mmCIF file of all heavy atoms in Angstrom:
data_model
loop_
_atom_site.group_PDB
_atom_site.id
_atom_site.type_symbol
_atom_site.label_atom_id
_atom_site.label_comp_id
_atom_site.label_asym_id
_atom_site.label_seq_id
_atom_site.Cartn_x
_atom_site.Cartn_y
_atom_site.Cartn_z
ATOM 1 N N ARG A 73 134.315 108.734 -198.943
ATOM 2 C CA ARG A 73 135.401 108.868 -199.859
ATOM 3 C C ARG A 73 136.037 110.255 -199.856
ATOM 4 O O ARG A 73 135.436 111.193 -199.267
ATOM 5 C CB ARG A 73 134.838 108.590 -201.265
ATOM 6 C CG ARG A 73 134.287 107.180 -201.504
ATOM 7 C CD ARG A 73 133.676 107.115 -202.887
ATOM 8 N NE ARG A 73 132.583 108.018 -203.033
ATOM 9 C CZ ARG A 73 132.071 108.495 -204.158
ATOM 10 N NH1 ARG A 73 132.658 108.026 -205.314
ATOM 11 N NH2 ARG A 73 131.129 109.388 -204.231
ATOM 12 N N PRO A 74 137.212 110.395 -200.440
ATOM 13 C CA PRO A 74 137.828 111.739 -200.466
ATOM 14 C C PRO A 74 136.900 112.756 -201.188
ATOM 15 O O PRO A 74 136.062 112.346 -201.990
ATOM 16 C CB PRO A 74 139.112 111.544 -201.360
ATOM 17 C CG PRO A 74 139.421 110.073 -201.064
ATOM 18 C CD PRO A 74 138.081 109.398 -200.928
ATOM 19 N N ARG A 75 137.098 114.011 -200.857
ATOM 20 C CA ARG A 75 136.151 115.078 -201.339
ATOM 21 C C ARG A 75 136.095 115.168 -202.863
ATOM 22 O O ARG A 75 135.027 115.434 -203.431
ATOM 23 C CB ARG A 75 136.607 116.397 -200.750
ATOM 24 C CG ARG A 75 135.602 117.533 -200.867
ATOM 25 C CD ARG A 75 134.315 117.152 -200.063
ATOM 26 N NE ARG A 75 134.594 117.071 -198.700
ATOM 27 C CZ ARG A 75 134.326 117.999 -197.754
ATOM 28 N NH1 ARG A 75 133.804 119.158 -198.072
ATOM 29 N NH2 ARG A 75 134.594 117.782 -196.459
ATOM 30 N N ASP A 76 137.297 114.907 -203.587
ATOM 31 C CA ASP A 76 137.207 115.038 -205.023
ATOM 32 C C ASP A 76 136.331 113.902 -205.638
ATOM 33 O O ASP A 76 135.649 114.143 -206.621
ATOM 34 C CB ASP A 76 138.604 115.028 -205.573
ATOM 35 C CG ASP A 76 139.419 113.778 -205.186
ATOM 36 O OD1 ASP A 76 138.993 113.109 -204.249
ATOM 37 O OD2 ASP A 76 140.433 113.525 -205.863
ATOM 38 N N GLU A 77 136.413 112.686 -205.022
ATOM 39 C CA GLU A 77 135.586 111.615 -205.505
ATOM 40 C C GLU A 77 134.112 111.901 -205.274
ATOM 41 O O GLU A 77 133.236 111.588 -206.085
ATOM 42 C CB GLU A 77 135.983 110.283 -204.871
ATOM 43 C CG GLU A 77 137.357 109.765 -205.270
ATOM 44 C CD GLU A 77 137.747 108.445 -204.662
ATOM 45 O OE1 GLU A 77 136.746 107.630 -204.459
ATOM 46 O OE2 GLU A 77 138.924 108.178 -204.339
ATOM 47 N N TYR A 78 133.872 112.493 -204.128
ATOM 48 C CA TYR A 78 132.425 112.881 -203.788
ATOM 49 C C TYR A 78 131.938 113.877 -204.846
ATOM 50 O O TYR A 78 130.848 113.794 -205.344
ATOM 51 C CB TYR A 78 132.366 113.458 -202.400
ATOM 52 C CG TYR A 78 131.085 114.094 -202.053
ATOM 53 C CD1 TYR A 78 130.095 113.323 -201.422
ATOM 54 C CD2 TYR A 78 130.894 115.458 -202.206
ATOM 55 C CE1 TYR A 78 128.896 113.938 -201.050
ATOM 56 C CE2 TYR A 78 129.664 116.050 -201.875
ATOM 57 C CZ TYR A 78 128.681 115.315 -201.277
ATOM 58 O OH TYR A 78 127.496 115.869 -200.942
ATOM 59 N N GLY A 79 132.773 114.837 -205.181
ATOM 60 C CA GLY A 79 132.364 115.900 -206.122
ATOM 61 C C GLY A 79 132.097 115.277 -207.515
ATOM 62 O O GLY A 79 131.243 115.811 -208.234
ATOM 63 N N ALA A 80 132.789 114.290 -207.871
ATOM 64 C CA ALA A 80 132.602 113.644 -209.197
ATOM 65 C C ALA A 80 131.292 112.932 -209.312
ATOM 66 O O ALA A 80 130.846 112.625 -210.389
ATOM 67 C CB ALA A 80 133.759 112.769 -209.524
ATOM 68 N N GLY A 81 130.702 112.583 -208.210
ATOM 69 C CA GLY A 81 129.446 111.880 -208.206
ATOM 70 C C GLY A 81 129.171 111.217 -206.867
ATOM 71 O O GLY A 81 130.013 110.594 -206.277
ATOM 72 N N HIS A 82 127.878 111.401 -206.372
ATOM 73 C CA HIS A 82 127.551 110.821 -205.084
ATOM 74 C C HIS A 82 126.078 110.605 -205.001
ATOM 75 O O HIS A 82 125.325 111.031 -205.941
ATOM 76 C CB HIS A 82 128.029 111.754 -203.925
ATOM 77 C CG HIS A 82 127.518 113.180 -204.037
ATOM 78 N ND1 HIS A 82 128.249 114.127 -204.656
ATOM 79 C CD2 HIS A 82 126.354 113.746 -203.676
ATOM 80 C CE1 HIS A 82 127.542 115.279 -204.623
ATOM 81 N NE2 HIS A 82 126.403 115.067 -204.033
ATOM 82 N N VAL A 83 125.650 109.930 -203.958
ATOM 83 C CA VAL A 83 124.199 109.701 -203.744
ATOM 84 C C VAL A 83 123.583 111.066 -203.483
ATOM 85 O O VAL A 83 124.089 111.795 -202.646
ATOM 86 C CB VAL A 83 123.971 108.751 -202.572
ATOM 87 C CG1 VAL A 83 122.468 108.695 -202.277
ATOM 88 C CG2 VAL A 83 124.535 107.383 -202.850
ATOM 89 N N PRO A 84 122.509 111.462 -204.132
ATOM 90 C CA PRO A 84 121.902 112.762 -203.911
ATOM 91 C C PRO A 84 121.581 113.016 -202.495
ATOM 92 O O PRO A 84 121.019 112.193 -201.777
ATOM 93 C CB PRO A 84 120.597 112.679 -204.759
ATOM 94 C CG PRO A 84 120.898 111.722 -205.841
ATOM 95 C CD PRO A 84 121.774 110.657 -205.234
ATOM 96 N N GLY A 85 122.031 114.156 -202.007
ATOM 97 C CA GLY A 85 121.787 114.496 -200.590
ATOM 98 C C GLY A 85 122.808 113.944 -199.599
ATOM 99 O O GLY A 85 122.627 114.169 -198.385
ATOM 100 N N ALA A 86 123.730 113.131 -200.014
ATOM 101 C CA ALA A 86 124.647 112.464 -199.114
ATOM 102 C C ALA A 86 125.565 113.503 -198.494
ATOM 103 O O ALA A 86 125.979 114.542 -199.117
ATOM 104 C CB ALA A 86 125.492 111.438 -199.885
ATOM 105 N N LEU A 87 125.949 113.266 -197.257
ATOM 106 C CA LEU A 87 126.851 114.111 -196.509
ATOM 107 C C LEU A 87 128.276 113.567 -196.839
ATOM 108 O O LEU A 87 128.549 112.419 -196.767
ATOM 109 C CB LEU A 87 126.614 113.922 -195.027
ATOM 110 C CG LEU A 87 127.623 114.546 -194.099
ATOM 111 C CD1 LEU A 87 127.573 116.144 -194.177
ATOM 112 C CD2 LEU A 87 127.409 114.091 -192.650
ATOM 113 N N SER A 88 129.163 114.551 -197.240
ATOM 114 C CA SER A 88 130.563 114.155 -197.470
ATOM 115 C C SER A 88 131.299 114.189 -196.179
ATOM 116 O O SER A 88 131.380 115.216 -195.535
ATOM 117 C CB SER A 88 131.198 115.180 -198.467
ATOM 118 O OG SER A 88 132.577 114.894 -198.582
ATOM 119 N N LEU A 89 131.805 113.070 -195.766
ATOM 120 C CA LEU A 89 132.572 112.922 -194.528
ATOM 121 C C LEU A 89 133.776 112.017 -194.781
ATOM 122 O O LEU A 89 133.817 110.869 -194.412
ATOM 123 C CB LEU A 89 131.702 112.346 -193.417
ATOM 124 C CG LEU A 89 132.259 112.379 -191.999
ATOM 125 C CD1 LEU A 89 132.663 113.783 -191.567
ATOM 126 C CD2 LEU A 89 131.211 111.825 -191.036
ATOM 127 N N PRO A 90 134.858 112.583 -195.434
ATOM 128 C CA PRO A 90 135.986 111.796 -195.832
ATOM 129 C C PRO A 90 136.581 111.139 -194.622
ATOM 130 O O PRO A 90 136.809 111.770 -193.542
ATOM 131 C CB PRO A 90 136.934 112.765 -196.485
ATOM 132 C CG PRO A 90 136.055 113.902 -196.952
ATOM 133 C CD PRO A 90 134.938 113.976 -195.943
ATOM 134 N N LEU A 91 136.917 109.859 -194.662
ATOM 135 C CA LEU A 91 137.455 109.082 -193.564
ATOM 136 C C LEU A 91 138.780 109.736 -193.079
ATOM 137 O O LEU A 91 138.936 109.836 -191.859
ATOM 138 C CB LEU A 91 137.748 107.655 -193.987
ATOM 139 C CG LEU A 91 138.612 106.824 -192.999
ATOM 140 C CD1 LEU A 91 137.800 106.579 -191.721
ATOM 141 C CD2 LEU A 91 139.031 105.503 -193.564
#
Side-chain angles (χ1 to χ4, degrees):
Chain A
R73 301 174 297 160
R75 195 62 64 101
D76 57 343
E77 291 183 34
Y78 171 89
H82 53 268
V83 175
L87 171 70
S88 175
L89 190 55
L91 170 66

